[in-house]
Amino acid sequence: MSSKTLYDKLWESHIVRQEADGTCLIYIDRHLVHEVTSPQAFEGLKLAGRQLWRKSSIVSTADHNTPTNEWDKGIQDPISRTQVETLDANIREFGALAYYPFKNINQGIVHVIGPEHGATLPGMTVVCGDSHTSTHGAFAALAHGIGTSEVEHVMATQTLVAKKSKAMLVRVDGELGFGVTAKDVALAIIGKIGTAGGTGYAIEFGGSAIRGLSMEGRMTLCNMAIEGGARAGMVAFDEKTAEYLQGREFAPKGEQWDKAVAYWNTLKSDEGAQFDAVVELDASEIAPQVTWGTSPEQVLPVTAVVPNPADQADPVKQASYTRALQYMGLEADTPITDIPVDKVFIGSCTNSRIEDLRAAAKVVKGRKKADNVKLVLIVPGSGLVKRQAEEEGLDKIFIDAGFEWREPGCSMCLAMNADRLEPGERCASTSNRNFEGRQGQGGRTHLVSPEMAAAAAIAGHFVDIRSFA
Amino acid sequence: MKAFTQLHGLVCAMDRANVDTDAIIPKQFLKSIKRSGFGPNLFDEWRYLDHGEPGMDNSQRPLNPDFELNLPRYAGAQILLARDNFGCGSSREHAPWAIEDFGFRALIAPSFADIFFNNCFKNGLLPIVQPAEVVDQLFRETQEAEGYRLHIDLAAQTITTPSGQVFSFDITEHRKACLLNGWDEIGLTLRHADEIRAFEDKRKQEQPWLFA
Ligand code: SF4
């Protein structure tokens, strides 16, 4: 029997049928639905007079458009409100396994709530009309984002038409240094392979440094797989996966649990399995990372200086560096630690889990926000995370430091609600995209870990967390 | 879906790499619950000098005269010539909807982001991957000759330049058939409903916890 990769196993176990040209019909176990990419899909179903194939595969929430404060006032923006109400009406009409609407105590970012309710399980295919669905691959699941036509296709048929990707192994061995997090590993990988480096691949993250990460850390890493161009990222099943899932609402119980774990234990790449590409990193060489440009691949260690476009040989790259520096309002050769910040955002499906908030709070405890920092937003990923943080007193630490403690949602990750940057404002953000205008038109985003964001809020500029004790 | 067979279209060259979906259609326009009407806001932040919001009268807004889509020579373009990693970022299908609504029917680039690439086919848009040298050549020719048109023949899988040079491109049989015929993919898949149900039943036996 030939050796198989984790991706081979996940793919093959979901093939309903295969055409001669390799196009497959793939069965979908879990469908996460949110308000932005679903209305047109529901409308399509209705117009064609179709039903949901299996409503118990759907877990839904409103997250992108929901406000993060003054919930009692509802959603002020009428267009956002219509979108959220449309989801509400659709789920009420069509049904779902679980629905966490606006203001529900378990509402949150779709990629945070799936795992925390045990709705994401090893061996599943998980899809959502959202590119960061790759997050769920942390559970040895095949998870990726889809467009709205495919959302409708999954709703109506429980399948997707797809072709198998190539397999890439990103192996990170060794031990991460003090202050270096899963976010830094993700950014370092993207810095190395580029934002298109993973295009056409499904990435498996392996190696001792990955095994050493918590489930939260693995989710952060898989979340960013898409920023490296790969639709799916994944990590093999191990005791940590089991430990995280045990006892969660939709996870199997009793005898079923034992049966499930026995199967899940096979969800790893076999010894000697062949990958189409292998990328290796030494964990001990990864420093805390900060992006300086308008693409996640424009990233450097915090100890570096802003690059000089003149040093780039490739003219297309040179032009994009020049354009990025201009947009970001940065001079070449400026030390990254000299860059001041106007706002700080700790949140998003990349870094809004309890572990992220604990790490940020540890840096902040007993300190105050710098005067030049206008706003620090702490936005927990879900109602569950929020309550847990409050039980641990983390909210107090943030509020005492002059930060704002908000309700869960996507918030300033993409600024579809009222939380946004004004033109020219510079932000240390724990989110995943530093594209032009992502956090508000003209806004300037630097991607960092929660610890680095918290430290920047205190110092008023970027600092090397390793010397910020 | 609109069928795609042949296209003889004006080419608009957009010389930037990593054009992301936030640039293609900024997020404020994702609040719509419709599929159509995104064309006027395609590349909104680059195309207009002011800040766009849904519901504005776009015909009254100041245009950025330097932006490619606003150049008179590209008016009515149906083929977008682009650089590496076009469409990176989010899965929003609003990006191909906006491109299609604007009037484009085909895109040519050295590489596309996966989800965007896939989304194009669902909307009658044909994304074509060509080697970097070919794309370089097409950029040169487009920039040199005003009114530069390419002929795309999907059945033959070819692009023909005005001088008669022919480049071929790859596409899976399934996607080709769907585009050529304008087929509804859901309808096609539902012809295999029995197979899906049989697969599902087997899965229920083997991994009942997935169906709780
Ligand atoms: S937090 Fe950001 S990246 Fe994540 S789902 Fe929301 S908008 Fe998308």
Side-chain angles (χ1 to χ4, degrees), chain B residues 125-159:
Chain B
L125 271 177
L126 175 62
I128 299 175
V129 176
Q130 287 291 292
E133 316 81 74
V134 174
V135 174
D136 279 342
Q137 179 191 329
L138 296 179
F139 263 98
R140 261 197 322 276
E141 293 180 4
T142 307
Q143 279 152 356
E144 280 164 11
E146 210 164 305
Y148 186 83
R149 284 171 181 268
L150 288 170
H151 186 83
I152 298 172
D153 183 335
L154 177 56
Q157 297 180 215
T158 56
I159 307 171

Side-chain angles (χ1 to χ4, degrees), chain A residues 13-17 19 21 23 25 27 29-30 36-37 39-41 43 50 53-54 56 65 77 79-80 82-83 86 97 121-124 128-131 145-150 152-153 156-159 161 163 195-196 198-201 226 229 231 250 252 256 259-260 263-264 295 297 316 323 414-416 420 433 435-441, chain B residues 15-18 20-23 26-36 38 44-46 48-55 61 83-85 88-94 97 111-115 118-119 122-123 136 171-175 184-190 192-200 203-212:
Chain A
S13 61
H14 288 87
I15 299 176
V16 175
R17 59 177 280 123
E19 308 293 339
D21 72 347
T23 303
L25 205 55
Y27 187 80
D29 296 306
R30 177 66 68 230
V36 181
T37 52
Q40 296 87 351
E43 188 194 46
R50 290 179 175 131
W53 181 282
R54 181 159 75 84
S56 66
N65 278 285
D77 175 354
I79 313 178
S80 288
T82 303
Q83 206 168 50
T86 304
L97 172 70
L121 294 173
M124 273 185 168
C128 174
D130 188 279
S131 59
I146 55 178
T148 297
S149 296
E150 289 179 316
E152 186 180 336
H153 193 277
T157 71
Q158 212 58 41
T159 62
V161 177
K163 255 191 133 167
T195 47
T199 303
Y201 289 95
I226 183 69
R231 286 177 83 175
F250 297 114
Q256 289 283 314
K259 260 186 81 180
Y263 170 61
W264 295 345
S295 159
E297 70 185 16
V316 176
R323 199 182 145 84
L414 96 164
M416 265 184 91
R420 66 184 61 174
R433 285 191 178 138
F435 298 159
E436 285 183 23
R438 172 79 178 178
Q439 295 192 289
Q441 195 181 27
Chain B
D15 202 354
R16 354 183 155 197
N18 297 314
D20 60 74
T21 49
D22 285 68
K27 65 239 160 194
Q28 60 270 32
F29 304 107
L30 309 190
K31 294 180 183 180
S32 165
I33 54 170
K34 299 205 206 79
R35 241 175 226 270
S36 55
F38 294 101
D44 198 273
E45 286 181 11
W46 292 344
Y48 301 97
L49 293 171
D50 63 345
H51 175 74
E53 283 292 334
R61 297 174 56 199
R83 292 290 186 188
D84 259 317
N85 202 25
C88 60
S90 90
S91 64
R92 64 186 71 156
E93 203 157 311
H94 312 68
W97 291 339
S111 64
F112 293 90
D114 281 340
I115 303 179
N118 204 28
N119 283 342
K122 318 282 179 193
N123 294 284
D136 279 342
I171 181 169
T172 66
E173 281 308 316
H174 176 82
R175 283 174 168 155
D184 160 19
E185 206 168 45
I186 294 178
L188 282 184
T189 298
L190 285 174
H192 306 299
D194 290 346
E195 272 171 88
I196 301 171
R197 217 162 278 124
F199 181 93
E200 195 168 54
R203 204 159 172 72
K204 255 182 225 167
Q205 298 285 314
E206 289 168 4
Q207 299 183 47
W209 57 85
L210 295 176
F211 295 82

